[in-house]
Amino acid sequence: MGAWRPGRRRGGTRVTGPTARPDRPADTDRRGDDRRPSGGTRGDRPARTGGWGDRAGSDRRGGRPGRPVRPAVDLPRYAAYQAVAAVHRDDAYANLVLPAILREQGLTGRDAAFATELTYGTLRQLGTLDTILTAAAGRDVARIDPPVRDALRLGAYQLLHTRVPAHAAVSSTVDLVRTVGEGATGFANAVLREVAGQDVDAWTAKLAPTMAADPIGHLAVTYSHPQWIVRAFADALGGDLGEVTRLLIEDNERPPVHLCARPGLLDPAELADEVGGAPGAFSPYAVYLPGGAPGDLPALANGRAHVQDEGSQLVANALATAPLDGHDGRWLDLCAGPGGKAGLLGALAAQRGARLTAVEVSEHRARLVEQATRGLPVAVLHTDGRTVGADPKLPEGHFDRVLVDAPCTGLGSLRRRPESRWRRQPSDLPPLTRLQRELLSAALRAARPGGLVGYVTCSPHTVETHVTVTEAARRAGVPADFVDARTVLPPGMPGLGDGPTVQLWPHRHGTDAMFLALLRRG
């Protein structure tokens, strides 16, 4: 089946597990018309007389007047609800929990695509949805019972961001509320009817500050990002709010899956033919996957390719290909988990007779690195990268090329991990930047004289990029000079700035917002 597109009417797939009511026929009395609702009294519970979005009345198949009909819940919507609820209740990551939920519920094809769209779309638009729901409900969303709140978010997303008919979005959401928040169906029905009374542009024009009065607040509400992140993007882009707007729009788009054809193991053109994809725009190893589940691809199963954003490929390849005098056989990845960059570096090392030492402090992530680099000349160390000089396996002045893919806020990958924009806080920055400086200082000590260090973050925040690099180089206790990173990226690649560091952007390059600094130890 082809991928589901917003606006297609869903099929009648229904939950058959504990959420269904097997003793009552499903969906036998869909009362109400197809008109788009407007108005509605906030918080009032309507009489159960078959109003739009509520179900009551006779059982027409069974001929038992007055028996209330309890329809089962639409399964793709319920799967999306489970994923969104897990993100908010358990601090789960959607990209980890949703595939498991889809497998458990047996959802494939268009049903799986619909559930995926609802999950990721709702998480991306969460800030704006909550602002609108607060106005529609007449109370702050924080005061709404969490299960009902998440169901309303899913319903509002369907109403405002898809072509699902309004009556279907409301009635299916009320069904969901009936399952997860008994007693709140009237409230949910009234709130969603209020939401449906205006489109998203009208709502944001009504609720967002004006661009003239508060440009950061306007962009935050209109494009569903926290204000502190919008401000950080504006700082990194030199205050160009037009470019900030394009970035925020791109952050809210569903990104394509990027694959990396491992050099020496698979030609990118062959991978593109194998998966029906297209070669990447910039990385020599990138292939854009048109759709489907990448985990099902044979090339990934047998280790000839892996999933990796093109920006990550570019920064790893830049370190591996930057000119280097002298010995070039000892490579180090100081923060290797979960193993994507280590996999690419390991494949490149195999072609050049080099060996990679991959360091990871987390035991679980160290195992992932081992899996990702199986069959490659990679030795995985489960230790803290800051122990350079104290650990005999991490001697100072020893390695020719060193990668520091530092832990960061992840603000550069918000399009792929939409829940991160709501989970991260400015208070996360001080401990992260301290760790980044310590790791980069350790990397500079680990590099031999003349060796290269690549500092990478998936964040454009200037405190995590320019400030960290400058401070770490100053405090490392060893001399280091910047290398112009633009010279080791593909010729003609646009929007790379003035150097010597490079910041990639989703709206400029179609990649995550990866930052790269190259330093040569003196």
Side-chain angles (χ1 to χ4, degrees):
M1 285 187 176
W4 175 86
R5 295 191 300 272
R8 287 192 177 182
R9 187 66 177 268
R10 308 308 307 149
T13 309
R14 299 285 166 180
V15 172
T16 56
T19 55
R21 294 295 297 265
D23 58 321
R24 300 183 183 180
D27 208 15
T28 58
D29 189 10
R30 262 186 202 277
R31 295 200 175 189
D33 57 31
D34 288 352
R35 291 174 296 177
R36 195 172 181 85
S38 61
T41 304
R42 291 191 182 103
D44 291 342
R45 181 177 181 127
R48 293 183 59 84
T49 57
W52 190 52
D54 222 333
R55 313 281 178 78
S58 64
D59 181 340
R60 295 180 181 178
R61 286 189 235 176
R64 291 168 289 192
R67 181 179 181 182
V69 177
R70 287 286 294 274
V73 179
D74 177 85
L75 189 52
R77 289 178 170 92
Y78 186 65
Y81 166 80
Q82 287 179 300
V84 170
V87 167
H88 296 141
R89 182 187 62 240
D90 306 326
D91 282 342
Y93 289 94
N95 67 314
L96 299 179
V97 298
L98 181 60
I101 292 169
L102 297 179
R103 287 193 300 270
E104 180 182 324
Q105 302 289 1
L107 291 175
T108 58
R110 291 196 298 179
D111 281 342
F114 182 47
T116 301
E117 166 67 15
L118 288 187
T119 299
Y120 282 92
T122 299
L123 293 172
R124 288 189 187 101
Q125 297 294 336
L126 194 68
T128 303
L129 293 176
D130 281 0
T131 299
I132 294 170
L133 286 170
T134 291
R139 68 179 73 168
D140 194 292
V141 290
R143 295 176 53 208
I144 300 174
D145 189 45
V148 177
R149 182 169 62 221
D150 283 332
L152 289 174
R153 288 162 166 166
L154 287 162
Y157 178 78
Q158 293 171 70
L159 288 168
L160 300 172
H161 293 282
T162 76
R163 294 191 300 274
V164 171
H167 70 278
V170 173
S171 63
S172 61
T173 304
V174 171
D175 288 346
L176 179 58
V177 169
R178 181 176 289 113
T179 298
V180 303
E182 190 73 40
T185 54
F187 169 72
N189 187 41
V191 170
L192 291 173
R193 289 182 59 170
E194 186 78 8
V195 171
Q198 302 180 73
D199 65 20
V200 67
D201 291 335
W203 274 115
T204 52
K206 176 181 177 181
L207 299 175
T210 66
M211 192 71 173
D214 181 4
I216 298 298
H218 174 85
L219 293 173
V221 173
T222 303
Y223 299 107
S224 195
H225 283 67
Q227 287 197 29
W228 77 273
I229 293 180
V230 178
R231 192 171 292 109
F233 288 166
D235 290 343
L237 287 165
D240 186 336
L241 295 182
E243 193 166 12
V244 173
T245 300
R246 293 192 292 274
L247 170 59
L248 298 177
I249 291 171
E250 191 66 28
D251 256 0
N252 287 335
E253 294 296 320
R254 182 171 57 185
V257 174
H258 294 174
L259 303 180
C260 177
R262 292 186 170 181
L265 299 176
L266 180 61
D267 184 88
E270 293 178 12
L271 177 61
D273 290 341
E274 186 177 311
V275 302
F282 303 114
S283 167
Y285 314 114
V287 170
Y288 302 155
L289 186 65
D296 298 335
L297 298 175
L300 272 69
N302 59 30
R304 296 180 299 138
H306 59 266
V307 175
Q308 186 176 41
D309 180 78
E310 189 173 17
S312 293
Q313 298 176 40
L314 287 167
V315 296
N317 189 57
L319 173 65
T321 57
L324 180 67
D325 293 331
H327 188 270
D328 191 15
R330 300 179 297 251
W331 297 5
L332 175 64
D333 184 347
L334 209 57
C335 313
K341 294 181 184 68
L344 175 53
L345 289 174
L348 290 168
Q351 290 186 305
R352 291 158 53 179
R355 292 193 60 81
L356 175 70
T357 300
V359 176
E360 175 51 50
V361 68
S362 161
E363 182 177 0
H364 169 67
R365 288 165 67 88
R367 288 197 297 268
L368 294 178
V369 177
E370 290 175 347
Q371 296 169 11
T373 59
R374 188 172 292 120
L376 298 173
V378 178
V380 179
L381 295 183
H382 171 214
T383 190
D384 190 326
R386 291 172 293 180
T387 60
V388 168
D391 188 327
K393 295 182 180 179
L394 293 175
E396 291 191 14
H398 177 75
F399 295 94
D400 305 304
R401 299 180 190 267
V402 183
L403 174 66
V404 183
D405 183 17
C408 66
T409 56
L411 302 187
S413 59
L414 297 184
R415 58 187 190 147
R416 299 192 187 278
R417 297 178 179 85
E419 66 275 2
S420 294
R421 70 181 74 175
W422 314 114
R423 191 169 288 168
R424 283 298 189 186
Q425 300 295 330
S427 58
D428 296 331
L429 282 165
L432 277 172
T433 53
R434 182 169 57 252
L435 175 60
Q436 291 159 4
R437 290 193 300 268
E438 291 170 353
L439 286 166
L440 181 50
S441 295
L444 289 167
R445 296 196 310 273
R448 65 164 173 84
L452 286 167
V453 173
Y455 173 78
V456 170
T457 65
C458 189
S459 170
H461 199 299
T462 55
V463 172
E464 299 186 88
T465 57
H466 298 286
V467 173
T468 288
V469 170
T470 303
E471 285 297 302
R474 183 175 65 85
R475 299 179 184 184
V478 296
D481 298 312
F482 281 96
V483 175
D484 192 340
R486 297 173 300 171
T487 63
V488 288
L489 289 173
M493 194 172 177
L496 296 182
D498 299 327
T501 63
V502 164
Q503 179 66 65
L504 304 179
W505 293 101
H507 66 292
R508 289 184 186 175
H509 309 106
T511 69
D512 290 347
M514 303 296 298
F515 173 84
L516 170 65
L518 285 177
L519 300 102
R520 190 182 306 278
R521 177 171 170 175

